[in-house]
């Protein structure tokens, strides 16, 4: 049995459901370019119900190696992953405006509350998810720097281990509307945040 962590791509309708269930402060983002999940082990593991998810057709057959939809003993459609899901993250267009159109943002990061890392190896799973997601994303998409934001009370150590640096401390005024004034945006969370940035390496494609 493989007890290590593996990073896989995630179908966005499924990822949205996971964010809405498990993310502590935000609902799912409106869109993405790529979403990734970190799974541990090789055993098929129940993730969630599938009746309300518009998933790819290959989830219903054996062509998808990592995620499948099957009926349980009660006849309900359920999503199973090969290995236990411990976290997901999505990368897409930045919410804030940047002059560089090739800047992207890790718009959501969510770690499953049922995963309780004990060893130092397990604690590195979080940064490995982010690091490998960025690497894969840059192989598939033309991208320069990648940014993300965390709340002021969060440490962000896993981001630093994944190659991000703390870039900016953001505090909003009492009159600020944040990004909520933009079309189709939900009400902004105006609590203080830190911006982290992962610079594209010089010479990289």
């Amino acid at each position: 049995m493989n007890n290590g962590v593996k990073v896989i791509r995630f179908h966005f309708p499924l990822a949205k459901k996971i964010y809405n269930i498990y993310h502590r402060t935000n609902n799912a983002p409106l869109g993405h370019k790529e979403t990734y999940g970190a799974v541990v082990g090789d055993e098929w593991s129940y993730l969630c119900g599938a009746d309300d998810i518009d998933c790819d057709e290959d989830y219903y057959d054996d062509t998808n190696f990592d995620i499948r939809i099957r009926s349980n003993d009660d006849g309900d459609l359920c999503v199973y992953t090969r290995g236990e899901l411990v976290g997901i993250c999505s990368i897409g267009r930045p919410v804030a405006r940047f002059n560089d159109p090739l800047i992207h943002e890790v718009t959501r990061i969510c770690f499953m509350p049922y995963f309780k890392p004990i060893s130092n190896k397990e604690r590195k799973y979080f940064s490995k998810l982010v690091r490998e997601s960025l690497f894969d994303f840059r192989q598939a998409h033309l991208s320069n720097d990648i940014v993300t934001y965390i709340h002021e009370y969060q440490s962000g150590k896993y981001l630093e281990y994944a190659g991000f640096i703390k870039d900016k401390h953001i505090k909003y005024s009492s009159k600020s509307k944040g990004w909520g004034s933009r079309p189709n945006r939900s009400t902004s969370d105006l609590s203080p945040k830190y911006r982290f940035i992962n610079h594209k390496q010089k010479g990289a494609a």
Side-chain angles (χ1 to χ4, degrees):
M1 176 183 293
N2 175 19
N3 291 319
V5 65
K6 180 174 65 173
V7 176
I8 62 175
R9 290 194 179 191
F10 246 74
H11 188 49
F12 191 55
L14 173 57
K16 288 200 297 184
K17 179 167 184 176
I18 300 305
Y19 287 128
N20 289 335
I21 293 173
Y22 291 111
H23 201 286
R24 290 181 296 175
T25 57
N26 294 102
N27 291 328
L30 294 177
H32 82 146
K33 284 192 174 181
E34 300 289 351
T35 292
Y36 302 90
V39 293
V40 177
D42 282 330
E43 301 296 325
W44 286 101
S45 176
Y46 170 82
L47 180 58
C48 64
D51 289 328
D52 58 344
I53 304 173
D54 181 18
C55 277
D56 287 347
E57 292 183 2
D58 66 354
Y59 280 12
Y60 294 90
D61 55 37
D62 292 337
T63 59
N64 194 301
F65 184 77
D66 298 304
I67 304 173
R68 292 179 185 171
I69 293 178
R70 295 288 185 271
S71 296
N72 63 12
D73 293 340
D74 295 325
D76 299 320
L77 286 176
C78 301
V79 180
Y80 298 88
T81 56
R82 185 184 290 274
E84 183 180 54
L85 181 72
V86 299
I88 59 174
C89 72
S90 294
I91 305 174
R93 298 179 63 184
V95 175
R97 293 183 175 91
F98 289 92
N99 292 329
D100 184 353
L102 295 182
I103 288 180
H104 290 87
E105 179 180 342
V106 179
T107 54
R108 289 291 184 280
I109 303 174
C110 180
F111 301 120
M112 303 300 102
Y114 53 73
F115 177 63
K116 307 294 184 183
I118 298 175
S119 67
N120 188 50
K121 176 182 177 181
E122 290 176 337
R123 285 189 284 271
K124 292 179 179 178
Y125 291 170
F126 302 143
S127 59
K128 184 172 182 179
L129 166 62
V130 177
R131 184 173 60 253
E132 292 196 8
S133 297
L134 266 59
F135 178 80
D136 185 271
F137 183 84
R138 283 187 165 121
Q139 299 304 303
H141 301 274
L142 189 61
S143 177
N144 289 333
D145 295 343
I146 297 177
V147 300
T148 194
Y149 302 82
I150 65 171
H151 291 284
E152 185 181 52
Y153 59 81
Q154 298 173 306
S155 72
K157 286 296 182 183
Y158 70 93
L159 293 172
E160 294 177 357
Y161 296 149
F164 280 85
I165 59 173
K166 190 179 293 184
D167 175 59
K168 188 176 182 181
H169 188 206
I170 301 171
K171 291 187 176 181
Y172 302 94
S173 71
S174 59
K175 296 181 180 180
S176 175
K177 294 182 179 180
W179 300 311
S181 60
R182 296 179 64 182
N184 300 319
R185 298 292 182 192
S186 59
T187 302
S188 294
D189 177 359
L190 300 182
S191 59
K193 299 178 181 69
Y194 284 110
R195 186 176 74 188
F196 283 74
I197 188 166
N198 181 283
H199 291 296
K200 177 183 177 181
Q201 294 183 355
K202 292 182 179 180

